[in-house]
Amino acid sequence: MVFAPDTEVALRSVVGLINTAANGEEQLATVEDLDRFLAAEGFTGSRTRDAAELASVHRLRAELAALWLAGEGAAVETVNRLLREARALPQLVKHDQWDWHLHATTPEAPLADRMSTEAAMALVDVIRSKEMDRMLVCAAEDCDAVVLDLSRNRSKRYCDTGNCANRAHVAAYRARKAAS
């Protein structure tokens, strides 16, 4: 394990959110799509379930995608701004199936604020640990999905959105066979 368990969960959620727009495909087109995404990621708290909430999550997704590719200085600025805008006040909480973990907003805070704060808190750990090199873009030439490399030997290069790794390995095999 590279980070605390709740940090890894939050980072995986960030990857999941960013990748809902990978490769030109919009996977959060409707409020129902957002409902499914949030249920799969285990997000709790109040919801308005309207177009404005969906739009705020789209804006957050774009910010997080830009942050994923940013250098350390720009990432710090974005993380600090996200925490400031949400008026983050970190607290240890335990609820549902989750053991002790950090929340920095109330369950009544707007969804995008809760999501941005959770992402920012996780990214604080990444930045402080000097581990931003674990935040990658898929190595497949035809894929722009993001990758979180939590492997011990820093070997993860392909996303989890499709079959990028398999396609790359098959292509390399075929190239080796053709060369011999």
Side-chain angles (χ1 to χ4, degrees):
M1 175 174 22
V2 177
F3 301 106
D6 59 325
T7 297
E8 290 187 11
V9 167
L11 290 170
R12 285 188 180 105
S13 290
V14 171
V15 168
L17 179 61
I18 294 170
N19 286 344
T20 62
N23 303 315
E25 294 182 30
E26 178 56 72
Q27 296 176 23
L28 292 181
T30 67
V31 172
E32 292 75 23
D33 293 339
L34 180 58
D35 290 342
R36 283 189 290 279
F37 173 79
L38 296 172
E41 294 296 327
F43 275 94
T44 60
S46 68
R47 295 277 314 284
T48 59
R49 289 184 170 79
D50 60 15
E53 182 177 71
L54 180 61
S56 68
V57 172
H58 284 172
R59 283 189 300 277
L60 173 62
R61 179 179 64 191
E63 279 190 279
L64 293 174
L67 188 154
W68 200 264
L69 303 175
E72 184 178 271
V76 167
E77 286 180 30
T78 301
V79 164
N80 284 339
R81 183 181 49 73
L82 291 172
L83 292 170
R84 210 173 28 254
E85 288 175 357
R87 295 182 180 89
L89 180 61
Q91 300 174 45
L92 281 170
V93 295
K94 186 188 247 188
H95 61 87
D96 301 321
Q97 79 276 15
W98 304 103
D99 201 355
W100 292 111
H101 60 284
L102 285 172
H103 276 206
T105 59
T106 66
E108 298 78 31
L111 175 64
D113 285 354
R114 292 193 320 273
M115 292 175 77
S116 68
T117 302
E118 186 169 321
M121 294 294 292
L123 290 162
V124 163
D125 283 351
V126 173
I127 294 166
R128 289 184 323 140
S129 301
K130 299 289 187 197
E131 295 285 359
M132 287 186 68
D133 58 340
R134 292 182 178 275
M135 298 165 48
L136 309 166
V137 175
C138 184
E141 291 181 17
D142 61 342
C143 184
D144 64 2
V146 299
V147 176
L148 176 64
D149 182 6
L150 295 177
S151 65
R152 193 175 278 219
N153 64 353
R154 298 174 185 266
S155 61
K156 185 168 177 133
R157 295 292 171 254
Y158 297 98
C159 70
D160 298 323
T161 63
N163 296 316
C164 293
N166 189 46
R167 284 185 294 116
H169 293 119
V170 168
Y173 172 78
R174 289 180 179 155
R176 284 192 308 272
K177 287 299 242 181
S180 59

